[in-house]
Amino acid sequence: MSEPQWNYLTDMDGVLVHEEHLVPRADEFLAELRSNGIKFLVLTNNSIYTPRDLRARLQRTGLDVPEEAIWTSALATAKFLDTQRPNGSAFVIGEAGLTTALHEAGYVLTDRDPDYVVLGETRTYSFTAITKAIRLIEAGAKFIATNPDATGPSLEGSLPATGSIAALIERATGRQPYYVGKPNPLMMRSALRSLGAHSEHTLMIGDRMDTDIHSGIEAGLQTILVLTGISTRESAERYPYRPTLVIDSVADLLGRSGDPFQTA
């Protein structure tokens, strides 16, 4: 009896693309998954963009990924809130990826007595909006953040990201946010449900030990670390957990995507 085929969850930045450029042969890797009928989802902690936006961004690099194969921390956050408090209300600091996901989940976006303050990524954090968020949390709104990443990349260098602004709000209110995105395994489990897959036959490919590999392990997945992004073989050794496999890039999976853990 043949073993069930693997399903793939793969991070986007650092795995398939790097600084807006295609990781060499990543397009061939996704084409192989499709030709073999292997189910996959591309994951990102970035909540700025909708799947449609991300599809267009990936197309510019030469990757053809359908909208339904993209899973963001914004979608995971909207799904989580829908299960917690259906048709609730939220004050949102974020961009179209997050506001669209919450609207589609049936949420009302308001600054008047919302159920939640939801913090996501934006390139224009407003002091006025942050102050409003602090006061709403003090008044009883629950504090949710899409992801804990402290910084994000730009051509000029690091930018403050969701985790940094969440720390500011937490310091001001004394209330810790609940982070939905990686390394919370909740994001992996919601992705598995979206894919219709089981953890036993799904693997996670990522370039970061602290988010991708951490959350994959906690969700019960086999994990593959690629060296085309943040983590190196040396830095990976500093963590108390290990990926199932370390490879140079997704190009190393060509010809073996059906069973990536087979020995050469």
Side-chain angles (χ1 to χ4, degrees):
M1 183 184 228
S2 62
E3 286 294 313
Q5 190 167 248
W6 287 97
N7 307 295
Y8 281 72
L9 302 180
T10 174
D11 187 41
M12 184 172 71
D13 293 297
V15 177
L16 302 176
V17 294
H18 186 66
E19 294 180 354
E20 303 298 323
H21 296 288
L22 178 74
V23 168
R25 306 193 75 185
D27 52 344
E28 296 176 50
F29 168 65
L30 291 186
E32 180 173 306
L33 295 185
R34 274 194 292 266
S35 67
N36 292 336
I38 294 173
K39 293 193 290 187
F40 70 92
L41 270 186
V42 176
L43 273 62
T44 177
N45 255 1
N46 191 318
S47 66
I48 289 179
Y49 305 107
T50 66
R52 183 178 298 174
D53 297 332
L54 288 171
R55 172 171 167 73
R57 176 190 165 195
L58 290 169
Q59 279 183 314
R60 287 194 295 273
T61 71
L63 283 175
D64 182 18
V65 181
E67 288 179 45
E68 59 271 18
I70 297 172
W71 192 251
T72 71
S73 65
L75 292 172
T77 298
K79 186 70 69 176
F80 170 70
L81 292 182
D82 183 48
T83 63
Q84 291 284 300
R85 192 186 292 263
N87 302 310
S89 60
F91 174 71
V92 177
I93 297 177
E95 297 199 16
L98 184 55
T99 56
T100 300
L102 287 168
H103 269 306
E104 291 179 351
Y107 259 62
V108 172
L109 307 188
T110 180
D111 62 359
R112 297 178 64 84
D113 194 28
D115 300 315
Y116 297 97
V117 165
V118 182
L119 175 67
E121 210 76 63
T122 174
R123 293 288 182 259
T124 55
Y125 285 113
S126 153
F127 184 79
T128 301
I130 291 169
T131 301
K132 185 70 173 177
I134 289 168
R135 292 172 180 168
L136 290 170
I137 292 167
E138 288 175 335
K142 308 297 187 293
F143 187 16
I144 301 287
T146 56
N147 62 290
D149 302 57
T151 60
S154 77
L155 295 177
E156 294 78 31
S158 294
L159 294 169
T162 307
S164 293
I165 306 305
L168 184 162
I169 296 172
E170 179 182 342
R171 185 67 181 268
T173 61
R175 308 278 180 81
Q176 289 186 333
Y178 182 73
Y179 293 107
V180 175
K182 298 176 292 183
N184 188 344
L186 178 75
M187 181 161 171
M188 296 298 180
R189 287 195 284 270
S190 65
L192 286 171
R193 283 193 294 272
S194 176
L195 196 60
H198 191 279
S199 60
E200 187 179 351
H201 303 298
T202 304
L203 60 85
M204 174 66 198
I205 307 176
D207 70 306
R208 293 186 64 133
M209 288 291 291
D210 57 343
T211 55
D212 304 319
I213 304 305
H214 184 172
S215 56
I217 288 172
E218 291 213 344
L221 312 180
Q222 300 294 308
T223 56
I224 297 178
L225 177 70
V226 294
L227 305 177
T228 45
I230 300 294
S231 292
T232 63
R233 288 185 190 274
E234 294 71 32
S235 68
E237 289 296 326
R238 295 199 288 267
Y239 289 85
Y241 48 86
R242 298 175 63 83
T244 314
L245 183 66
V246 180
I247 58 177
D248 290 329
S249 83
V250 291
D252 294 342
L253 296 173
L254 288 169
R256 53 189 279 209
S257 57
D259 184 7
F261 305 114
Q262 65 187 352
T263 54

